[in-house]
Amino acid sequence: MESRLPKIKSIVKQTANWVIRIMGSLILLFLVWYAMRTLQYMLPVAGHEDLVEIPDSVIRNLAAAALILLLYAVLTAVEKKAGDKITIWCKRIAVTLGMLWQGIAGLCWVLAVDRVPSADQASVIGAAIDFIQGDYGTLAPDHYCGLYAHQLGPAAMEEMLFRILGEADYHVIQIVFVLLNVAGIYCIYGILKEVSGRLAVVAMGTLLAGSCMASVFYTSWVYGEIPWVFCSLFSAWMLVRYIKYGKTGSLVGIVTALTLGTLLRKNTLVLVVAYCMVGAVRIFSKWDRRLLISLVLALALPLLCYQGIYKMYEMRSGMEHSRGLPTSAYLYLGMEEIGGRYGWYYSDCWAQYYATGCNTEQSDQIYREMMQERMQAMKAQPGYLRGFYQGKLLSQWNVPTYQSLYFNFNHGDVYHEKLAALEDRLSGDLFDSVVRMADRLQFIIYLGCLFYFIFCVRKDSEITQQLLAVAVIGGFLFSIFWEAKARYMYAYYMMMFPLAALGYGEIIRLAEKYCFFRKKKI
């Protein structure tokens, strides 16, 4: 049996890599095919989340990807001719430019005008302020934090921040988000430097990530998207460093980031599950006690923190913790079609929960029965099931701005008139240009990510390097079943940037090996 164990370990690792490769390739083929031919956007007008679908330019998308490949080829040639010192400085300049652009553009976006929180972000901030003032009405089953129990995580974190600051100033959070964006670019630089180190991969990866306008627009969205992205990229960087250098501090960083990320945005649990999956395969292939401990902590700490937060507010308020909406409510919402909108939120979608007097158990049973009836009705219509889920996926993944302008175009007081005038134009006469630029970038990233899954994920690949790849696959599967919203996909999109950079780099390496530098036989 012992003699067969190394072979079994090898088979498990190879199988895991093959599953990642096949699933990732199929998902990205789907996204690339539709991103090349169509695009969807949401007009920055307050009201319903209505998507508009228009034809895309196949030629322009392919031309943009060809330009990226050309730049990769040029930088590869520069690296061959330049010395190590020049190469290092080129990498540093590239990451500096990416970080500077995100920092300057983000600060301009949040400082030019007062972008007052609205919708979910306003409810979370309002809950934090109420808690400071001793008002716990929001914990009632029919109020915000009672209805959405998971929002107590970010509300507790914001309450703690406001108590430290001595005032409830959301502008501070917006500035912190700008800094997290800048730090996220550096995390991408760190990932690419450790995994590849090639000039073209590192420089283009950081510059492309730095050019993402959705990141700039989301700096004013006082919610969990930006922290979710940062914690994901930071965790991936630390995992690569741990495997390479074996330092325990890297694992501490991962557990801390995953815990904070989950408290601020519970969708981070997708990344936690991805971490546990790749970590388990790594441990089975090569025993690592420290990594195992980190997996247990990464899974247990976020859940224990949430339970601690629930208990804390129970004790402070004297109110029993409300479990809120059952999971089945979100799953049923993800199956509904209202006005041609597949799985998107609509005004009375929680009517069954209220009808039971906000009883979680009773409403759960009702939603489960409704899910069964809905599935039967969908199956009864030939071709409807396929069309529904295709439309649902594209309405989330084929929206290059990821609702970033839709949620952040509105503002209050103007502090800098010239900057404010320019920013207003981004949701006005320049909106079409913003969408088109974001569309080209999205296609470039999707295509590069497809290259990554096809050419970079091999049967003998280091499984822990696939953390972000597994998270992207998990996010795609999650979007099939859960409530639909393009905003939820933004974090997975940002996780694709280092994958895409590595994918393009591998294409150039293969071209260099088999085409351009093939030795002639004499």
Side-chain angles (χ1 to χ4, degrees):
M1 182 64 184
E2 291 184 2
S3 61
R4 294 176 59 187
L5 190 58
K7 186 176 181 180
I8 294 174
K9 291 180 177 181
S10 178
I11 290 173
V12 169
K13 179 181 176 181
Q14 291 178 20
T15 302
N17 278 316
W18 271 109
V19 169
I20 295 169
R21 185 179 191 180
I22 293 171
M23 290 188 67
S25 298
L26 290 175
I27 290 169
L28 267 299
L29 275 170
F30 171 79
L31 295 178
V32 166
W33 174 252
Y34 285 100
M36 180 171 59
R37 298 163 58 246
T38 64
L39 73 91
Q40 298 185 34
Y41 62 88
M42 191 171 289
L43 290 170
V45 178
H48 296 292
E49 296 172 296
D50 295 320
L51 284 162
V52 179
E53 182 174 343
I54 59 175
D56 205 350
S57 172
V58 175
I59 294 176
R60 290 180 180 177
N61 279 325
L62 292 176
L67 176 61
I68 295 300
L69 284 170
L70 177 61
L71 291 173
Y72 264 81
V74 169
L75 288 173
T76 299
V78 168
E79 184 175 22
K80 286 183 175 297
K81 294 184 178 181
D84 291 341
K85 191 173 182 179
I86 295 177
T87 300
I88 292 171
W89 273 105
C90 286
K91 294 175 186 176
R92 291 175 178 173
I93 290 171
V95 68
T96 302
L97 290 175
M99 293 168 66
L100 278 176
W101 168 248
Q102 279 294 321
I104 294 172
L107 287 174
C108 290
W109 183 253
V110 300
L111 295 179
V113 297
D114 186 10
R115 300 191 183 275
V116 183
S118 60
D120 283 324
Q121 50 173 342
S123 298
V124 173
I125 290 175
I129 295 173
D130 287 344
F131 294 154
I132 292 174
Q133 296 173 347
D135 183 355
Y136 299 98
T138 186
L139 297 176
D142 59 342
H143 285 61
Y144 187 78
C145 285
L147 183 66
Y148 306 106
H150 60 277
Q151 298 290 34
L152 277 175
M157 299 297 286
E158 290 184 10
E159 180 192 356
M160 181 176 66
L161 176 63
F162 292 157
R163 287 184 182 277
I164 293 172
L165 294 175
E167 60 177 334
D169 189 356
Y170 58 85
H171 299 94
V172 175
I173 300 177
Q174 293 174 337
I175 299 296
V176 170
F177 283 2
V178 173
L179 297 177
L180 287 180
N181 264 348
V182 173
I185 301 299
Y186 192 82
C187 289
I188 291 176
Y189 167 76
I191 294 169
L192 298 176
K193 181 182 175 183
E194 299 294 350
V195 175
S196 171
R198 298 177 66 184
L199 171 61
V201 173
V202 175
M204 291 301 297
T206 51
L207 289 174
L208 286 172
S211 67
C212 181
M213 290 302 296
S215 297
V216 174
F217 300 146
Y218 267 128
T219 52
S220 58
W221 182 250
V222 186
Y223 205 54
E225 267 64 28
I226 296 294
W228 179 14
V229 169
F230 170 75
C231 290
S232 301
L233 295 173
F234 181 78
S235 297
W237 180 29
M238 289 297 102
L239 184 56
V240 169
R241 286 184 60 84
Y242 173 72
I243 297 301
K244 192 170 183 178
Y245 304 112
K247 294 185 178 180
T248 305
S250 298
L251 294 178
V252 174
I254 295 171
V255 173
T256 304
L258 292 179
T259 302
L260 289 175
T262 306
L263 288 175
L264 291 168
R265 194 76 172 93
K266 208 166 185 181
N267 297 49
T268 309
L269 282 174
V270 173
L271 186 72
V272 173
V273 173
Y275 178 59
C276 292
M277 292 174 70
V278 299
V281 174
R282 166 75 183 189
I283 291 169
F284 184 80
S285 302
K286 185 178 181 181
W287 171 249
D288 190 325
R289 181 172 55 86
R290 290 180 298 169
L291 183 58
L292 176 61
I293 293 172
S294 76
L295 296 186
V296 174
L297 291 175
L299 195 59
L301 278 181
L303 301 178
L304 290 174
C305 286
Y306 261 100
Q307 293 304 314
I309 289 171
Y310 295 156
K311 193 64 178 177
M312 175 186 70
Y313 284 117
E314 273 190 347
M315 295 173 65
R316 287 170 57 181
S317 66
M319 301 168 62
E320 185 179 354
H321 170 62
S322 169
R323 292 171 57 193
L325 284 166
T327 301
S328 56
Y330 295 98
L331 296 175
Y332 173 72
L333 176 58
M335 299 171 67
E336 268 284 22
E337 179 189 354
I338 303 294
R341 299 162 73 244
Y342 304 107
W344 284 68
Y345 178 88
Y346 59 96
S347 58
D348 60 343
C349 57
W350 310 138
Q352 290 73 22
Y353 173 74
Y354 290 114
T356 61
C358 301
N359 187 296
T360 303
E361 290 77 13
Q362 292 180 18
S363 60
D364 178 49
Q365 183 62 35
I366 294 173
Y367 281 118
R368 288 176 182 273
E369 293 173 358
M370 292 172 65
M371 286 170 60
Q372 293 177 359
E373 294 173 2
R374 175 62 177 156
M375 181 56 69
Q376 291 174 1
M378 294 168 79
K379 289 180 178 179
Q381 304 177 56
Y384 179 80
L385 201 63
R386 177 181 177 275
F388 177 89
Y389 283 107
Q390 176 180 308
K392 182 182 179 182
L393 287 169
L394 293 178
S395 70
Q396 300 176 85
W397 291 88
N398 200 23
V399 185
T401 58
Y402 296 92
Q403 296 182 273
S404 56
L405 265 179
Y406 172 82
F407 282 115
N408 296 285
F409 79 97
N410 211 353
H411 61 76
D413 296 338
V414 173
Y415 301 134
H416 300 280
E417 291 186 4
K418 290 185 178 180
L419 278 177
L422 174 60
E423 291 178 3
D424 285 340
R425 291 183 64 194
L426 295 178
S427 55
D429 62 305
L430 294 179
F431 178 70
D432 184 66
S433 299
V434 172
V435 171
R436 294 293 179 182
M437 289 173 61
D439 177 53
R440 300 289 170 261
L441 180 61
Q442 184 192 63
F443 178 76
I444 288 168
I445 298 306
Y446 281 179
L447 183 61
C449 204
L450 174 62
F451 290 154
Y452 175 84
F453 281 111
I454 294 176
F455 299 109
C456 295
V457 183
R458 304 183 182 89
K459 64 180 183 180
D460 58 343
S461 296
E462 170 52 53
I463 192 66
T464 53
Q465 290 183 9
Q466 313 306 334
L467 174 62
L468 295 180
V470 174
V472 169
I473 294 171
F476 186 87
L477 297 177
F478 184 78
S479 69
I480 295 175
F481 303 104
W482 204 252
E483 171 200 358
K485 198 175 290 291
R487 172 165 61 86
Y488 299 163
M489 304 306 115
Y490 161 70
Y492 303 115
Y493 176 58
M494 293 306 299
M495 294 180 205
M496 291 184 182
F497 276 84
L499 305 182
L502 292 165
Y504 282 113
E506 184 64 12
I507 290 293
I508 294 300
R509 190 192 71 81
L510 292 173
E512 181 183 67
K513 181 177 180 181
Y514 294 111
C515 300
F516 303 130
F517 297 97
R518 183 181 294 174
K519 294 181 180 179
K520 295 182 179 181
K521 294 183 179 180
I522 301 176

